[in-house]
Short mmCIF file of all heavy atoms in Angstrom, two decimals:
data_model
loop_
_atom_site.label_atom_id
_atom_site.label_comp_id
_atom_site.label_asym_id
_atom_site.label_seq_id
_atom_site.Cartn_x
_atom_site.Cartn_y
_atom_site.Cartn_z
N LEU W 1 -6.77 -12.38 4.17
CA LEU W 1 -6.56 -11.22 3.30
C LEU W 1 -7.80 -10.37 3.10
O LEU W 1 -7.68 -9.19 2.75
CB LEU W 1 -6.08 -11.70 1.93
CG LEU W 1 -4.70 -12.37 1.87
CD1 LEU W 1 -4.48 -13.01 0.51
CD2 LEU W 1 -3.61 -11.37 2.17
N ARG W 2 -8.97 -10.93 3.30
CA ARG W 2 -10.20 -10.23 2.93
C ARG W 2 -10.36 -8.89 3.66
O ARG W 2 -10.85 -7.92 3.10
CB ARG W 2 -11.41 -11.12 3.18
CG ARG W 2 -12.69 -10.59 2.57
CD ARG W 2 -13.77 -11.64 2.52
NE ARG W 2 -14.94 -11.17 1.80
CZ ARG W 2 -15.93 -11.95 1.40
NH1 ARG W 2 -15.87 -13.26 1.66
NH2 ARG W 2 -16.96 -11.45 0.75
N GLY W 3 -9.92 -8.85 4.89
CA GLY W 3 -10.01 -7.61 5.65
C GLY W 3 -9.20 -6.49 5.04
O GLY W 3 -9.57 -5.31 5.16
N ARG W 4 -8.09 -6.83 4.39
CA ARG W 4 -7.27 -5.81 3.75
C ARG W 4 -8.00 -5.17 2.57
O ARG W 4 -7.78 -4.00 2.24
CB ARG W 4 -5.95 -6.42 3.29
CG ARG W 4 -5.03 -6.82 4.41
CD ARG W 4 -4.37 -5.60 5.05
NE ARG W 4 -3.32 -5.07 4.18
CZ ARG W 4 -3.01 -3.79 4.07
NH1 ARG W 4 -3.70 -2.88 4.72
NH2 ARG W 4 -2.02 -3.40 3.29
N LEU W 5 -8.88 -5.93 1.94
CA LEU W 5 -9.67 -5.40 0.83
C LEU W 5 -10.90 -4.66 1.31
O LEU W 5 -11.21 -3.56 0.82
CB LEU W 5 -10.09 -6.54 -0.10
CG LEU W 5 -11.03 -6.18 -1.25
CD1 LEU W 5 -10.34 -5.27 -2.25
CD2 LEU W 5 -11.55 -7.44 -1.94
N GLU W 6 -11.60 -5.24 2.28
CA GLU W 6 -12.90 -4.71 2.66
C GLU W 6 -12.88 -3.80 3.88
O GLU W 6 -13.83 -3.03 4.09
CB GLU W 6 -13.87 -5.87 2.91
CG GLU W 6 -14.14 -6.69 1.66
CD GLU W 6 -15.11 -7.84 1.88
OE1 GLU W 6 -15.33 -8.20 3.06
OE2 GLU W 6 -15.63 -8.38 0.89
N ARG W 7 -11.83 -3.87 4.68
CA ARG W 7 -11.74 -3.03 5.88
C ARG W 7 -10.35 -2.38 6.00
O ARG W 7 -9.63 -2.61 6.96
CB ARG W 7 -12.04 -3.84 7.14
CG ARG W 7 -13.50 -4.30 7.25
CD ARG W 7 -13.70 -5.08 8.53
NE ARG W 7 -15.08 -5.48 8.74
CZ ARG W 7 -15.99 -4.77 9.43
NH1 ARG W 7 -15.63 -3.62 9.98
NH2 ARG W 7 -17.22 -5.20 9.57
N PRO W 8 -9.98 -1.57 5.02
CA PRO W 8 -8.66 -0.91 5.11
C PRO W 8 -8.62 0.05 6.29
O PRO W 8 -9.64 0.63 6.67
CB PRO W 8 -8.56 -0.16 3.78
CG PRO W 8 -9.99 0.10 3.39
CD PRO W 8 -10.75 -1.12 3.85
N GLU W 9 -7.44 0.21 6.87
CA GLU W 9 -7.27 1.10 8.03
C GLU W 9 -6.56 2.38 7.58
O GLU W 9 -5.39 2.34 7.19
CB GLU W 9 -6.47 0.40 9.13
CG GLU W 9 -7.19 -0.77 9.77
CD GLU W 9 -8.49 -0.35 10.45
OE1 GLU W 9 -8.58 0.80 10.93
OE2 GLU W 9 -9.42 -1.18 10.51
N PRO W 10 -7.25 3.51 7.61
CA PRO W 10 -6.59 4.76 7.22
C PRO W 10 -5.47 5.10 8.19
O PRO W 10 -5.63 4.98 9.41
CB PRO W 10 -7.73 5.79 7.28
CG PRO W 10 -8.72 5.20 8.25
CD PRO W 10 -8.64 3.72 8.06
N ARG W 11 -4.35 5.55 7.66
CA ARG W 11 -3.15 5.81 8.48
C ARG W 11 -3.19 7.23 9.05
O ARG W 11 -2.32 8.06 8.80
CB ARG W 11 -1.90 5.60 7.63
CG ARG W 11 -1.77 4.20 7.03
CD ARG W 11 -1.67 3.13 8.10
NE ARG W 11 -1.21 1.85 7.56
CZ ARG W 11 -1.00 0.76 8.29
NH1 ARG W 11 -1.23 0.79 9.58
NH2 ARG W 11 -0.58 -0.37 7.71
N MET W 12 -4.22 7.50 9.87
CA MET W 12 -4.45 8.85 10.36
C MET W 12 -3.32 9.35 11.26
O MET W 12 -2.83 10.47 11.09
CB MET W 12 -5.78 8.91 11.11
CG MET W 12 -6.99 8.47 10.30
SD MET W 12 -7.18 9.43 8.78
CE MET W 12 -7.45 11.06 9.45
N ALA W 13 -2.93 8.54 12.21
CA ALA W 13 -1.90 8.99 13.16
C ALA W 13 -0.57 9.24 12.44
O ALA W 13 0.12 10.21 12.73
CB ALA W 13 -1.73 7.95 14.26
N LEU W 14 -0.22 8.37 11.50
CA LEU W 14 1.03 8.56 10.77
C LEU W 14 0.96 9.82 9.93
O LEU W 14 1.91 10.61 9.90
CB LEU W 14 1.30 7.35 9.87
CG LEU W 14 2.55 7.47 8.99
CD1 LEU W 14 3.81 7.60 9.84
CD2 LEU W 14 2.66 6.28 8.04
N GLY W 15 -0.16 10.05 9.24
CA GLY W 15 -0.28 11.25 8.41
C GLY W 15 -0.06 12.52 9.20
O GLY W 15 0.67 13.42 8.77
N ARG W 16 -0.66 12.60 10.37
CA ARG W 16 -0.49 13.81 11.18
C ARG W 16 0.93 13.92 11.72
O ARG W 16 1.48 15.01 11.83
CB ARG W 16 -1.50 13.80 12.32
CG ARG W 16 -2.95 13.91 11.84
CD ARG W 16 -3.91 14.06 12.98
NE ARG W 16 -3.69 15.32 13.70
CZ ARG W 16 -4.27 15.63 14.85
NH1 ARG W 16 -5.09 14.75 15.43
NH2 ARG W 16 -4.04 16.78 15.43
N ALA W 17 1.55 12.78 12.03
CA ALA W 17 2.93 12.82 12.53
C ALA W 17 3.91 13.24 11.45
O ALA W 17 4.97 13.79 11.73
CB ALA W 17 3.31 11.44 13.07
N LEU W 18 3.55 13.00 10.18
CA LEU W 18 4.43 13.36 9.06
C LEU W 18 4.27 14.80 8.61
O LEU W 18 5.09 15.31 7.84
CB LEU W 18 4.15 12.45 7.87
CG LEU W 18 4.48 10.97 8.02
CD1 LEU W 18 4.00 10.20 6.79
CD2 LEU W 18 5.98 10.76 8.22
N ALA W 19 3.22 15.49 9.08
CA ALA W 19 2.87 16.80 8.54
C ALA W 19 4.01 17.81 8.61
O ALA W 19 4.13 18.67 7.74
CB ALA W 19 1.63 17.35 9.25
N SER W 20 4.85 17.72 9.60
CA SER W 20 5.91 18.72 9.74
C SER W 20 7.28 18.22 9.29
O SER W 20 8.27 18.95 9.39
CB SER W 20 6.01 19.15 11.21
OG SER W 20 6.29 18.03 12.04
N VAL W 21 7.34 16.97 8.74
CA VAL W 21 8.64 16.43 8.38
C VAL W 21 8.71 15.90 6.95
O VAL W 21 9.74 16.05 6.28
CB VAL W 21 9.07 15.31 9.39
CG1 VAL W 21 8.09 14.17 9.38
CG2 VAL W 21 10.47 14.82 9.09
N ALA W 22 7.64 15.28 6.44
CA ALA W 22 7.66 14.73 5.08
C ALA W 22 7.50 15.84 4.05
O ALA W 22 7.06 16.95 4.37
CB ALA W 22 6.56 13.69 4.91
N HIS W 23 7.86 15.56 2.82
CA HIS W 23 7.72 16.53 1.73
C HIS W 23 6.43 16.28 0.94
O HIS W 23 5.47 17.00 1.06
CB HIS W 23 8.94 16.46 0.81
CG HIS W 23 10.18 17.00 1.43
ND1 HIS W 23 11.46 16.73 0.96
CD2 HIS W 23 10.36 17.80 2.51
CE1 HIS W 23 12.36 17.34 1.71
NE2 HIS W 23 11.73 17.99 2.66
N ALA W 24 6.41 15.26 0.11
CA ALA W 24 5.23 14.92 -0.70
C ALA W 24 4.61 13.64 -0.16
O ALA W 24 5.29 12.79 0.43
CB ALA W 24 5.63 14.74 -2.16
N ALA W 25 3.30 13.48 -0.39
CA ALA W 25 2.62 12.25 0.05
C ALA W 25 1.33 12.07 -0.72
O ALA W 25 0.77 13.03 -1.27
CB ALA W 25 2.33 12.30 1.55
N LEU W 26 0.87 10.83 -0.76
CA LEU W 26 -0.48 10.48 -1.22
C LEU W 26 -0.82 9.12 -0.64
O LEU W 26 0.03 8.43 -0.10
CB LEU W 26 -0.60 10.49 -2.75
CG LEU W 26 0.40 9.77 -3.65
CD1 LEU W 26 0.40 8.27 -3.46
CD2 LEU W 26 0.10 10.08 -5.11
N ASP W 27 -2.10 8.75 -0.75
CA ASP W 27 -2.47 7.41 -0.32
C ASP W 27 -2.53 6.50 -1.55
O ASP W 27 -2.92 6.92 -2.63
CB ASP W 27 -3.77 7.40 0.47
CG ASP W 27 -5.01 7.65 -0.37
OD1 ASP W 27 -4.90 8.37 -1.38
OD2 ASP W 27 -6.08 7.13 -0.02
N VAL W 28 -2.12 5.27 -1.36
CA VAL W 28 -2.06 4.30 -2.46
C VAL W 28 -3.43 3.64 -2.58
O VAL W 28 -3.77 2.73 -1.83
CB VAL W 28 -0.97 3.24 -2.22
CG1 VAL W 28 -0.94 2.24 -3.36
CG2 VAL W 28 0.39 3.91 -2.06
N SER W 29 -4.22 4.12 -3.53
CA SER W 29 -5.56 3.56 -3.75
C SER W 29 -5.66 2.81 -5.06
O SER W 29 -6.44 1.87 -5.19
CB SER W 29 -6.61 4.68 -3.71
OG SER W 29 -6.32 5.68 -4.66
N ASP W 30 -4.89 3.21 -6.06
CA ASP W 30 -5.00 2.63 -7.40
C ASP W 30 -3.74 1.91 -7.85
O ASP W 30 -3.55 1.65 -9.04
CB ASP W 30 -5.34 3.73 -8.42
CG ASP W 30 -6.69 4.35 -8.16
OD1 ASP W 30 -7.60 3.63 -7.69
OD2 ASP W 30 -6.87 5.55 -8.41
N GLY W 31 -2.85 1.60 -6.92
CA GLY W 31 -1.61 0.91 -7.27
C GLY W 31 -0.40 1.77 -6.96
O GLY W 31 -0.37 2.96 -7.29
N LEU W 32 0.62 1.16 -6.34
CA LEU W 32 1.81 1.91 -5.91
C LEU W 32 2.47 2.64 -7.07
O LEU W 32 2.77 3.83 -6.99
CB LEU W 32 2.80 0.96 -5.23
CG LEU W 32 4.00 1.53 -4.48
CD1 LEU W 32 4.53 0.51 -3.49
CD2 LEU W 32 5.13 1.96 -5.40
N ALA W 33 2.73 1.92 -8.17
CA ALA W 33 3.45 2.54 -9.29
C ALA W 33 2.61 3.64 -9.93
O ALA W 33 3.13 4.73 -10.23
CB ALA W 33 3.82 1.48 -10.33
N GLY W 34 1.33 3.37 -10.14
CA GLY W 34 0.48 4.37 -10.76
C GLY W 34 0.33 5.61 -9.90
O GLY W 34 0.39 6.74 -10.40
N ASP W 35 0.13 5.42 -8.60
CA ASP W 35 -0.02 6.58 -7.72
C ASP W 35 1.29 7.33 -7.55
O ASP W 35 1.31 8.56 -7.47
CB ASP W 35 -0.57 6.13 -6.37
CG ASP W 35 -2.05 5.78 -6.44
OD1 ASP W 35 -2.76 6.41 -7.24
OD2 ASP W 35 -2.50 4.88 -5.70
N LEU W 36 2.41 6.61 -7.49
CA LEU W 36 3.71 7.28 -7.44
C LEU W 36 3.90 8.14 -8.68
O LEU W 36 4.50 9.23 -8.60
CB LEU W 36 4.83 6.25 -7.33
CG LEU W 36 6.27 6.80 -7.35
CD1 LEU W 36 6.49 7.86 -6.28
CD2 LEU W 36 7.27 5.66 -7.19
N GLY W 37 3.38 7.69 -9.81
CA GLY W 37 3.47 8.50 -11.03
C GLY W 37 2.85 9.87 -10.87
O GLY W 37 3.31 10.84 -11.49
#
């Protein structure tokens, strides 16, 4: 699990692929529920 904390992988390819199809977005840095808020 330590790599998930210390070496997160930014979802660059997905973000660019979503640019023309998704509506709203953010990255989950402080907790799913809190960031969804």
Side-chain angles (χ1 to χ4, degrees):
L1 294 170
R2 191 165 186 168
R4 291 285 285 146
L5 175 67
E6 296 181 344
R7 291 180 177 268
E9 293 299 330
R11 302 298 195 178
M12 303 303 297
L14 177 62
R16 294 186 65 190
L18 294 174
S20 60
V21 61
H23 289 162
L26 50 64
D27 73 329
V28 179
S29 57
D30 296 327
L32 190 159
D35 285 328
L36 176 55

